[in-house]
């Protein structure tokens, strides 16, 4: 059992998990596998040029530019295989996160509650890129795509089962690349995942280079 101090703070409906996604695929880094198999590559040390590539990779992952991230990871792997492999693992888990968020968006339906601008609203309809909600006795249409932070957080709580250790890998990956993301929360997620037997070693190694993570733009939350 996880101590109350280590227990993730978010709770909510458990509609889907990273493990569910992995089972559907039949494989994936979120599946349980035997521990004790160390990474065989040599180093996570980075030259100045490699640090710049890592910065670009993390920015691309933050912006869901997975094709660009893949190209940059291949470039990095040519000179630093272990760092390239670690970032490839990170990219996979960030991808799992956004797949889950999209599933949660598709699952929104009439009668469900959300918090919007500090008040409770009821979903009336969900369209491809918009939500119609009931607020203040009348319907209001709000943009749902791209998914804004207020909605992303609520969808994450709804979708990712916080009792599933594979989801700690996924939630930590998103928080790691989120501009201004909570590094201590990332560390807690990944360390819990490692203690639960998840293959978190490569992700934990990235904490050494946390200063390369994207920073929030001026004026953003």
């Amino acid at each position: 059992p996880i101590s109350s101090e280590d227990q993730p703070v978010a709770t909510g409906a458990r509609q889907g998990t990273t493990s569910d996604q992995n089972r559907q695929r039949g494989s994936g880094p979120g599946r349980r596998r035997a521990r004790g198999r160390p990474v065989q590559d040599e180093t996570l040390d980075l030259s100045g040029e490699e640090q710049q590539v890592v910065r670009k990779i993390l920015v691309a992952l933050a912006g869901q530019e997975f094709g660009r991230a893949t190209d940059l990871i291949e470039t990095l792997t040519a000179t630093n295989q272990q760092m390239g492999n670690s970032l490839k693992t990170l990219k996979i888990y960030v991808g799992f996160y956004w797949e889950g968020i999209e599933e949660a968006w598709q699952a929104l339906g009439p009668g469900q509650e959300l918090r919007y601008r500090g008040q409770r609203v009821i979903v009336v309809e969900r369209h491809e890129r918009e939500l119609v909600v009931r607020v203040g006795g009348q319907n209001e249409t709000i943009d749902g795509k791209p998914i804004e932070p207020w909605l992303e957080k609520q969808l994450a709580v709804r979708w990712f089962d916080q009792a599933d250790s594979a989801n700690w890998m996924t939630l930590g990956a998103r928080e790691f690349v989120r501009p201004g993301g909570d590094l201590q929360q990332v560390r807690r997620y990944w360390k819990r995942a490692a203690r639960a037997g998840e293959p978190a070693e490569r992700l934990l190694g990235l904490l050494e280079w946390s200063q390369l993570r994207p920073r929030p733009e001026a004026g953003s939350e």
Side-chain angles (χ1 to χ4, degrees):
I2 300 170
S3 68
S4 58
E5 181 180 354
D6 275 348
Q7 184 66 40
V9 296
T11 58
R14 295 170 178 173
Q15 297 179 348
T17 70
T18 300
S19 291
D20 291 338
Q21 296 167 24
N22 291 333
R23 284 191 288 271
Q24 290 168 9
R25 291 176 178 77
S27 63
R31 300 185 71 194
R32 294 293 180 86
R33 58 187 185 220
R35 301 183 67 188
R37 181 178 172 181
V39 176
Q40 298 298 318
D41 309 305
E42 302 236 342
T43 180
L44 283 178
D45 291 342
L46 296 171
S47 67
E49 183 176 351
E50 288 171 339
Q51 289 183 43
Q52 292 304 312
V53 176
V54 172
R55 286 184 189 275
K56 292 177 182 178
I57 291 168
L58 297 180
V59 168
L61 292 177
Q64 302 180 61
E65 299 176 45
F66 294 109
R68 174 169 169 75
T70 297
D71 292 343
L72 290 167
I73 289 170
E74 290 179 357
T75 297
L76 180 65
T77 302
T79 60
N80 191 320
Q81 186 176 4
Q82 183 170 343
M83 193 65 176
N85 287 341
S86 294
L87 288 164
K88 187 181 298 183
T89 300
L90 180 70
K91 177 179 74 71
I92 290 169
Y93 279 104
V94 174
F96 283 164
Y97 176 86
W98 284 111
E99 288 176 14
I101 293 298
E102 179 60 26
E103 292 285 348
W105 163 259
Q106 295 294 334
L108 281 177
Q112 295 190 27
E113 295 184 4
L114 293 170
R115 295 292 298 180
Y116 176 61
R117 294 180 178 172
Q119 57 187 318
R120 183 175 66 90
V121 300
I122 304 297
V123 174
V124 177
E125 294 179 315
R126 177 192 55 78
H127 302 292
E128 183 178 354
R129 304 182 67 86
E130 295 177 331
L131 278 177
V132 179
V133 298
R134 190 73 175 173
V135 53
Q138 60 185 7
N139 289 354
E140 180 177 343
T141 300
I142 58 178
D143 292 333
K145 295 290 188 74
I147 293 175
E148 296 184 1
W150 70 270
L151 181 55
E152 178 193 333
K153 292 177 182 178
Q154 293 180 70
L155 293 178
V157 167
R158 288 169 179 268
W159 189 256
F160 293 105
D161 182 352
Q162 291 276 338
D164 187 329
S165 58
N167 287 335
W168 301 339
M169 304 272 283
T170 302
L171 293 167
R174 167 55 179 156
E175 194 66 20
F176 188 78
V177 302
R178 185 195 306 276
D182 184 344
L183 185 62
Q184 293 306 311
Q185 181 67 13
V186 174
R187 192 183 309 274
R188 287 192 292 269
Y189 273 134
W190 287 348
K191 285 190 173 182
R192 291 183 202 128
R195 290 198 298 270
E198 299 293 342
E201 291 83 0
R202 283 179 173 168
L203 295 178
L204 284 166
L206 294 175
L207 295 172
E208 179 181 348
W209 293 102
S210 59
Q211 75 274 17
L212 302 179
R213 299 185 308 147
R215 298 185 178 182
E217 297 180 3
S220 64
E221 294 185 357

